[in-house]
């Protein structure tokens, strides 16, 4: 009697017990639902992840196509319960320029069968939990959204009644691709393209067909599929992908027709009889994402604008001055000016494409890296420190690059390689020193690039380079502007000497960042390396003068070479020293009292009902440091944080941190800075602008705070 009462009570209370609140981000809402009102021991329970994407966003099928990633489910089930594979609904075809993706938009159910053990305790309440990872994409960007979904169901005997979601789940189960007694073969046609033939009673009378492969890379997803029909089946001519090979091979996938969608396995073999002779097939419908090409153009436009704005960022100021001096030197020689402008553009593009290619290759290899990844390496920072020191000494006239006899006597170029070669390497140097900065619009462009196929991604990096070089290029091709520049003269030598000091300052700043990464002992070795390099370059300058005067300079050349090699060796030793512990190296210095960021720290503060301001920063990020000094260091911001009872967390990305890299990617970013403000009442965080102002931070805190501020911060 007691068990019967418990069973009746569980069934009556099922709506309250089973109800689970949907989880949502700005792009997608999802919940775990059931087809049945309770779980019956020994039966199969059909659960489903119901997803609802915002307009303009989509997720992906098991084979995402040319880009993207399939939705994954990680289950945590009661003891004895086992989950099967996702029953994938037939996907939409989503065209993105010359690419084709397979996925879903709007409301979609992803059913999963769950086997209920025969000894499941009747009258008990069981909780089912799944972590769903969606790659949610628009035409401009992709964001990985991870949501933890739960559902509680009672266990009861007998056939369960349907829930409100049962009709939608049942429709998916009835219309999703299903196995069928269909014979299928793959052969190569006269033109070398794969020809897939399929025959069976289910295909009689078919007039439309399209093949969705289960595995990416075997078939060119974006290519048109043409074919014919016959009395017993169909024949489809496909276009081989890069992974297909040169001979016929097995192909597994879904054949979508106007009589249903069927899972097939096509083995190598001759054309099946009865699959031709009845006329041409109509290609399968269902393509979506017609605005994807416009989305690619938007990403390219953002990259161009970001590159243009990068010229105004402090990282590039030293190179801007060098470019101005170079323009003045060629202002009254139009052909030289145009040559140098194109060479500078070439150097910028080569450097951006090299950085972009390295970044994409590392990510493809599974590395969690983003923009500025090279600055997280102490070896790179040591090398850049010595490079900036060498550039400064060159501008100061200590030694000359490509100078020759005339330059040593004072009539040649003192701070640049001759001709277009110097302009090319100035472009490379501009990209090197620009890496610590992220300009507005760059974050969206880079975030989109990192989820695009590599040709489009490299095009985005090239557009960033074009934006950076465009002002210099336009001026070099504008005779009217060039004529307004002063003629070369002694003033240029004084200007070059003045320009050395920004390079010395850059070297000091890079050395400071190196110390934050590698510690005090490594910094001491780097200083010794810098001293030897400076001494070697000074000796090299004396050697150049001696050669210009016709005096022997073998001893000086040997001494300069030994000093330079010793300096480089010490720098390498410094970079290879064991990295100090986080506490010894010090976290990234910030003006406000802060705590280290972690997902657990965010969750703990939100459980207390407090707003959370998160600052993802790095010591090598100049934009980050300017924001911290200009917007986050004021007493008014400190008072606003206190009035809002907000927690301030800092995620320090000075050294490589895969957890922070993943969090940046989750918010569609590939680098720092990133500022997130979590509201006190729950919900998705607000992304603050990349260039912060004191007023913007205070207003955001006031709007987000769960209680009235205790002071007037307007």
């Amino acid at each position: 009697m007691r068990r019967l009462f418990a069973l009746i009570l569980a069934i009556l209370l099922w709506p309250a017990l089973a109800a689970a609140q949907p989880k949502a981000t700005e792009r997608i809402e999802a919940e775990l639902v059931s087809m049945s009102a309770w779980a019956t021991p020994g039966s199969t329970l059909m659960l489903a992840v119901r997803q609802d994407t915002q307009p303009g966003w989509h997720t992906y099928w098991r084979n995402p196509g040319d880009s993207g990633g399939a939705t994954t489910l990680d289950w945590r089930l009661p003891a004895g319960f086992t989950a099967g594979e996702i029953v994938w609904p037939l996907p939409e075809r989503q065209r993105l320029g010359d690419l084709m993706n397979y996925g879903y938009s709007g409301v979609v159910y992803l059913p999963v069968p769950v086997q209920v053990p025969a000894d499941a305790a009747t009258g008990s309440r069981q909780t089912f939990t799944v972590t769903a990872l969606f790659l949610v994409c628009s035409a401009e960007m992709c964001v990985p959204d991870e949501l933890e979904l739960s559902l509680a169901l009672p266990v009861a005997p007998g056939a369960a009644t349907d829930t409100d979601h049962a009709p939608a789940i049942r429709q998916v189960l009835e219309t999703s691709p299903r196995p069928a007694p269909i014979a299928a073969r793959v052969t190569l046609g006269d033109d070398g393209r794969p020809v897939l033939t399929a025959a069976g009673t289910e295909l009689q009378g078919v007039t439309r067909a399209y093949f969705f492969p289960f595995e990416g890379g075997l078939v060119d997803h974006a290519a048109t599929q043409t074919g014919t029909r016959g009395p017993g089946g169909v024949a489809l001519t496909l276009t081989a992908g890069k992974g297909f090979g040169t001979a016929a091979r097995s192909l597994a996938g879904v054949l979508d027709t106007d009589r249903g969608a069927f899972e097939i396995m096509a083995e190598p073999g001759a054309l099946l009889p009865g699959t031709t002779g009845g006329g041409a097939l109509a290609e399968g419908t269902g393509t979506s994402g017609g605005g994807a090409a416009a989305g690619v153009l938007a990403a390219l436009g953002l990259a161009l604008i970001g590159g243009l704005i990068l010229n105004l960022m402090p990282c590039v100021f030293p190179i801007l001055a060098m470019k101005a001096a170079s323009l003045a030197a060629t202002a009254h020689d139009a052909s030289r000016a145009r040559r140098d402008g194109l060479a500078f553009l070439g150097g910028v593009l080569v450097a951006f494409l090299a950085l972009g290619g390295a970044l994409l290759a590392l990510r493809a290899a599974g590395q969690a890296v983003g923009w500025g990844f090279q600055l997280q390496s102490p070896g790179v920072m040591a090398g850049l420190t010595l490079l900036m020191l060498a550039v400064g000494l060159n501008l100061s006239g200590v030694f000359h690059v490509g100078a020759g006899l005339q330059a040593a006597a004072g009539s040649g170029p003192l701070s640049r390689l001759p001709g277009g070669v110097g302009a090319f390497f100035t472009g490379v140097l501009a990209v090197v020193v620009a890496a610590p900065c992220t300009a507005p619009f760059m974050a969206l462009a880079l975030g989109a690039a990192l989820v695009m196929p590599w040709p489009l991604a490299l095009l985005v990096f090239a557009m960033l380079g074009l934006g950076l070089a465009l002002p210099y290029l336009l001026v070099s091709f504008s005779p009217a502007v060039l004529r307004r520049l002063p003629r070369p003269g002694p003033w240029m030598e004084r200007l070059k000497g003045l320009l050395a000091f920004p390079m010395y300052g850059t070297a000091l700043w890079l050395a400071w960042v190196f110390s934050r990464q590698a510690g005090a002992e490594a910094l001491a070795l780097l200083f010794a390396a810098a001293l030897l390099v400076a001494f070697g370059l000074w000796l090299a300058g004396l050697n150049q003068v001696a050669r210009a005067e016709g005096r022997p300079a073998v001893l000086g050349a040997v001494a300069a070479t030994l000093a330079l090699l010793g300096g480089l060796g010490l720098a390498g030793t410094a970079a290879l020293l064991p990295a100090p512990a986080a506490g010894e190296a010090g976290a990234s210095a910030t003006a406000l009292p802060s705590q280290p960021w972690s997902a657990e720290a965010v969750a703990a503060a939100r459980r207390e009902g407090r707003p959370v301001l998160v600052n993802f920063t790095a010591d090598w990020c100049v934009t980050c440091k300017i924001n911290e000094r200009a917007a986050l260091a004021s007493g008014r911001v400190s008072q606003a944080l206190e009035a809002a009872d907000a927690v301030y967390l800092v995620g320090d990305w000075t050294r490589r941190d895969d957890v922070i890299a993943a969090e940046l990617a989750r918010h569609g970013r590939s680098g720092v800075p990133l500022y997130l403000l979590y509201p006190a009442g729950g919900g998705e965080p607000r992304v603050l602008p990349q260039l912060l102002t004191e007023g913007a931070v205070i207003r955001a805190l006031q709007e987000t705070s769960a209680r009235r501020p205790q002071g007037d911060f307007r």
Side-chain angles (χ1 to χ4, degrees):
M1 189 67 182
R2 184 176 301 169
R3 291 184 60 192
L4 178 61
F5 176 79
L7 173 60
I8 295 173
L9 182 62
I11 295 174
L12 291 176
L13 292 179
W14 173 82
L17 294 174
Q21 293 297 321
K23 299 291 183 65
T25 69
E26 297 173 355
R27 297 156 292 276
I28 187 172
E29 179 185 273
E31 60 180 321
L32 184 60
V33 298
S34 174
M35 186 173 173
S36 305
W38 62 81
T40 301
S43 69
T44 299
L45 175 68
M46 192 61 67
L47 302 182
V49 173
R50 179 188 182 274
Q51 66 176 57
D52 185 5
T53 52
Q54 293 295 318
W57 296 86
H58 59 268
T59 58
Y60 292 94
W61 187 53
R62 58 185 294 178
N63 171 15
D66 290 324
S67 64
T71 298
T72 61
L73 303 179
D74 183 15
W75 291 92
R76 294 190 299 281
L77 300 175
F81 289 72
T82 56
E85 299 297 323
I86 297 173
V87 180
W88 293 95
L90 190 69
E92 304 166 351
R93 285 184 282 153
Q94 302 160 338
R95 184 167 290 278
L96 178 68
D98 294 330
L99 308 177
M100 178 71 77
N101 295 331
Y102 302 143
Y104 309 105
S105 58
V107 176
V108 176
Y109 287 80
L110 300 180
V112 175
V114 175
Q115 188 62 42
V116 183
D119 59 353
T122 301
S124 64
R125 174 192 178 191
Q126 303 294 343
T127 300
F128 306 85
T129 302
V130 63
T131 300
L133 178 60
F134 308 93
L135 185 62
V136 192
C137 296
S138 68
E140 289 79 21
M141 66 165 59
C142 291
V143 181
D145 281 334
E146 185 178 89
L147 299 174
E148 183 170 291
L149 313 174
S150 294
L151 177 69
L153 290 175
V155 177
T161 59
D162 286 347
T163 67
D164 293 340
H165 296 282
I169 298 174
R170 186 173 290 111
Q171 183 180 18
V172 172
L173 296 174
E174 292 173 353
T175 60
S176 63
R178 60 189 185 277
I182 294 176
R185 298 290 184 271
V186 176
T187 189
L188 297 182
D190 295 337
D191 59 357
R193 297 172 63 189
V195 177
L196 185 152
T197 55
T201 56
E202 288 81 359
L203 300 181
Q204 294 176 359
V206 163
T207 61
R208 172 185 62 79
Y210 184 89
F211 178 70
F212 294 89
F214 284 155
E215 184 178 351
L218 300 182
V219 172
D220 187 340
H221 306 103
T224 301
Q225 298 182 7
T226 59
T228 61
R229 64 183 186 273
V234 297
L236 280 176
T237 300
L238 311 175
T239 301
K242 293 182 179 179
F244 187 88
T246 57
R249 56 162 297 161
S250 300
L251 285 177
V254 171
L255 185 63
D256 177 33
T257 73
D258 51 347
R259 294 197 59 187
F262 309 100
E263 294 182 359
I264 63 171
M265 169 59 80
E267 300 291 352
L271 296 175
L272 292 173
T275 58
T276 60
L281 284 170
E283 187 184 356
T285 59
T287 301
S288 67
V296 174
L297 293 177
L300 295 177
L302 289 173
L304 180 64
I305 296 172
L308 285 168
I309 298 176
L310 198 57
N311 282 282
L312 305 177
M313 305 302 287
C315 308
V316 194
F317 283 168
I319 303 303
L320 279 177
M322 293 176 63
K323 287 194 294 182
S326 178
L327 276 173
T330 59
H332 301 279
D333 187 340
S335 61
R336 283 183 61 197
R338 289 192 294 270
R339 179 202 63 195
D340 285 4
L342 292 173
F344 178 77
L345 172 64
V348 170
L349 291 179
V350 167
F352 258 112
L353 290 174
L355 272 179
L359 175 59
L360 294 172
L362 288 172
R363 291 179 69 90
Q367 301 295 312
V369 294
W371 178 249
F373 70 95
Q374 72 278 13
L375 301 179
Q376 296 173 327
S377 166
V380 172
M381 297 306 292
L384 289 177
T385 300
L386 299 182
L387 175 62
M388 295 301 119
L389 174 63
V391 172
L393 293 172
N394 176 241
L395 291 171
S396 295
V398 172
F399 74 103
H400 312 304
V401 179
L405 297 178
Q406 292 180 340
S411 59
L414 296 178
S415 65
R416 53 196 295 275
L417 289 167
V421 178
F424 178 88
F425 282 104
T426 302
V428 173
L429 187 61
V431 177
V432 170
V433 301
C437 283
T438 301
F441 303 105
M442 274 185 63
L444 292 177
L446 290 171
L450 295 184
V451 295
M452 287 180 176
W454 68 265
L456 290 177
L458 289 179
L459 188 57
V460 171
F461 281 98
M463 290 300 287
L464 280 168
L466 178 61
L468 178 62
L470 193 57
Y472 182 88
L473 185 67
L474 292 177
V475 172
S476 66
F477 274 78
S478 303
V481 176
L482 291 173
R483 282 194 296 269
R484 294 179 178 272
L485 296 176
R487 290 186 176 275
W491 66 271
M492 289 189 60
E493 304 307 322
R494 292 191 293 271
L495 176 61
K496 290 171 183 176
L498 178 64
L499 295 181
F501 290 94
M503 307 312 295
Y504 295 141
T506 303
L508 288 173
W509 167 69
L510 291 169
W512 172 76
V513 175
F514 176 83
S515 73
R516 307 286 292 181
Q517 296 174 332
E521 183 178 349
L523 179 63
L525 287 176
L526 181 61
F527 281 160
L531 180 62
L532 280 175
V533 166
F535 179 60
L537 293 177
W538 177 73
L539 289 175
L542 293 180
N543 180 65
Q544 290 174 331
V545 173
R547 291 175 58 193
E549 295 174 352
R551 293 185 284 111
V554 176
L555 184 60
V558 172
T561 301
L562 291 176
L564 290 174
L565 290 176
L568 294 176
L570 278 179
T573 302
L576 293 175
L577 287 179
E584 299 173 15
S588 182
T590 58
L592 292 174
S594 63
Q595 303 172 27
W597 171 87
S598 68
E600 293 76 16
V602 174
R606 303 196 78 187
R607 284 195 297 269
E608 297 174 0
R610 303 174 66 185
V612 183
L613 175 61
V614 180
N615 171 13
F616 289 105
T617 182
D619 286 333
W620 45 259
C621 172
V622 176
T623 309
C624 304
K625 296 305 167 187
I626 291 176
N627 285 336
E628 288 164 13
R629 296 296 183 268
L632 296 175
S634 76
R636 296 173 64 202
V637 170
S638 179
Q639 293 173 31
L641 279 167
E642 184 178 353
D645 194 28
V647 177
Y648 181 45
L649 303 178
V650 174
D652 184 9
W653 211 37
T654 301
R655 293 190 289 178
R656 177 172 171 176
D657 188 314
D658 291 350
V659 176
I660 291 179
E663 185 69 10
L664 292 172
R666 199 169 73 86
H667 295 283
R669 296 291 189 268
S670 67
V672 291
L674 174 64
Y675 305 102
L676 303 176
L677 186 55
Y678 290 84
E684 286 296 298
R686 174 180 174 181
V687 180
L688 301 184
Q690 282 185 291
L691 294 180
L692 290 179
T693 63
E694 178 188 79
V697 177
I698 292 173
R699 283 192 298 272
L701 285 168
Q702 290 177 334
E703 294 168 2
T704 307
S705 176
R707 58 185 181 128
R708 184 189 300 272
Q710 298 175 359
D712 184 5
F713 305 109
R714 292 177 297 174

